[in-house]
Amino acid sequence: MTRILVTGGAGFIGSHVVDAFVAAGHAVAVLDNLSTGKMENLNPAARFYRADLRDAEAVAAIVAAEQPEVICHQAALANVRHSVADPAGYALVNVIGTLHLLQAARQVGCVQRFLFASSGGAIYGEPEELPAGETCPPRPLDPYGVSKLACEHYLYSYRHTAGLEYVALRYANVYGPRQDPFGEAGVVAIFARAMLEGRPVTINGDGCQTRDFVYVGDVARANVLALTRGTGVYNIGTGQATDIQTIFRKLARLTDYRRPPQHGPCKPGEARHNYLDARKAAAELSWRAEVDLDEGLARTAGSLVALTPGSSPAGGRRVVARPLGRP
Ligand code: NAD
């Protein structure tokens, strides 16, 4: 059993990571300010601290109280477009907040490993090669990506100066239950929710842009493996490019949605294609994506069925998505 402090453990990905750690028998504490996270996501077996990463004293006090052997840092501001509007705010949470955690880890001395939620979608920008491998030059297009890359550099430096081992997992586009269907990120959750409610669905641009969609349960499993394996950066993706039109078609089939998509303007600055080469994670973490897109989309739409009033068959929809017990 390992003592683990998970930041952002009430958020979409963080809560699945907490579930996976708890299921593996670890003792988990969560630090989250609930800005986008929700108490209902939180695993009841985890101890909870409501605190903000920008508050260095609070962060240090929690780390000192918990004496974690591993810090798993999932908390961040993660909206690309908001980061363009507020780069300083993003740097304060994502960079300075991470430094507060790293300093606290250095002070307590018991932290052996630091796991970091990085972003393969944001760090490579418009990748020089596809699928993008870890050696692909990082050229983030937006302040969010810059903040993630800055953290990776700090992790490298802390390993050198403080002997703190780290694993930075560069996630592809993560989707699955508990993703916010009202935000601007998370095309799967946004489309599925709109379809279940019978609302119009807007594809930005022609829908031929491609992404690497990785299921959240697979991402959580990568974090479990990284508790004891690996060092440095790893891509966590499927290696498969899926265009947005395909996501629309598959979800429409699952939710029996009959309307055609609307098309809006392309989002400026968004990469056209991005998918990741995750062979390093296979070789060194023994990690591979296991949930294929059809299965993952069915689970995601099923979780929304459970939450969406009027989306049940009684609401007139023949939903073939697979409902889950706990979303
Ligand atoms: P999320 O918004 O659901 O989770 C972020 C969590 O961090 C929330 O619970 C939020 O309340 C918490 N948080 C935010 N600011 C905080 C602060 N100042 N102090 C304390 N807690 C704070 O987002 P997510 O999609 O689950 O992302 C989790 C991590 O994975 C982030 O680091 C994100 O950058 C990274 N990531 C996500 C994706 C994706 O596709 N969703 C892809 C690559 C990387």
Side-chain angles (χ1 to χ4, degrees):
M1 186 193 76
T2 303
R3 287 189 311 279
I4 310 170
L5 176 66
V6 181
T7 70
F12 160 48
I13 298 171
S15 64
H16 286 274
V17 172
V18 170
D19 288 352
F21 286 162
V22 168
H26 301 299
V28 181
V30 166
L31 183 165
D32 198 301
N33 71 350
L34 300 180
S35 54
T36 56
K38 298 186 195 116
M39 282 309 282
E40 70 218 48
N41 288 343
L42 194 67
N43 189 302
R47 220 183 345 264
F48 179 66
Y49 296 91
R50 185 169 187 172
D52 196 300
L53 288 168
R54 289 168 293 192
D55 182 344
E57 277 179 24
V59 170
I62 292 163
V63 173
E66 284 297 322
Q67 297 281 310
E69 294 152 286
V70 174
I71 292 180
C72 177
H73 183 28
Q74 304 291 322
L77 296 178
N79 183 304
V80 167
R81 264 164 263 157
H82 291 179
S83 81
V84 175
D86 182 19
Y90 266 63
L92 276 176
V93 173
N94 293 3
V95 182
I96 303 297
T98 300
L99 284 172
H100 290 159
L101 263 180
L102 286 166
Q103 276 301 93
R106 194 207 299 256
Q107 273 154 18
V108 290
C110 54
V111 181
Q112 291 152 19
R113 256 171 125 68
F114 195 100
L115 311 187
F116 176 63
S118 190
S119 170
I123 277 199
Y124 298 115
E126 195 71 69
E128 215 166 71
E129 59 194 50
L130 284 169
E134 289 84 352
T135 53
C136 188
R139 295 204 183 107
L141 299 171
D142 49 73
Y144 165 67
V146 174
S147 74
K148 290 286 171 188
L149 183 58
C151 290
E152 287 192 4
H153 288 314
Y154 277 117
L155 288 169
Y156 186 84
S157 149
Y158 269 76
R159 181 166 67 193
H160 184 69
T161 58
L164 182 60
E165 188 54 272
Y166 76 94
V167 173
L169 299 174
R170 293 178 174 172
Y171 306 156
N173 276 60
V174 189
Y175 71 98
R178 302 182 202 151
Q179 190 164 29
D180 180 8
F182 300 108
E184 287 178 55
V187 68
V188 171
I190 293 168
F191 282 12
R193 179 74 177 225
M195 287 174 179
L196 287 167
E197 292 178 355
R199 288 188 279 112
V201 173
T202 303
I203 293 178
N204 299 330
D206 60 8
C208 296
Q209 62 272 41
T210 58
R211 292 292 181 268
D212 183 338
F213 290 93
V214 63
Y215 186 68
V216 68
D218 281 330
V219 170
R221 192 166 41 80
N223 279 272
V224 174
L225 292 166
L227 287 174
T228 52
R229 297 173 203 202
T231 175
V233 299
Y234 295 90
N235 286 340
I236 298 297
T238 66
Q240 282 170 5
T242 304
D243 64 56
I244 304 302
Q245 285 184 17
T246 301
I247 296 290
F248 178 92
R249 269 199 315 276
K250 285 178 181 290
L251 282 172
R253 212 175 305 130
L254 280 166
T255 59
D256 200 24
Y257 184 77
R258 307 280 169 87
R259 298 163 73 157
Q262 298 182 346
H263 286 269
C266 293
K267 294 292 170 190
E270 268 186 8
R272 182 85 178 143
H273 300 290
N274 186 317
Y275 57 105
L276 304 181
D277 179 346
R279 282 177 297 180
K280 188 178 172 211
E284 296 182 20
L285 305 179
S286 301
W287 180 88
R288 272 180 200 79
E290 287 177 356
V291 178
D292 72 22
L293 188 59
D294 287 328
E295 173 66 22
L297 292 178
R299 290 188 198 177
T300 309
S303 72
L304 285 167
V305 170
L307 299 174
T308 309
S311 68
S312 65
R317 274 172 207 291
R318 181 184 61 84
V319 178
V320 288
R322 197 157 312 148
L324 294 175
R326 178 179 174 233

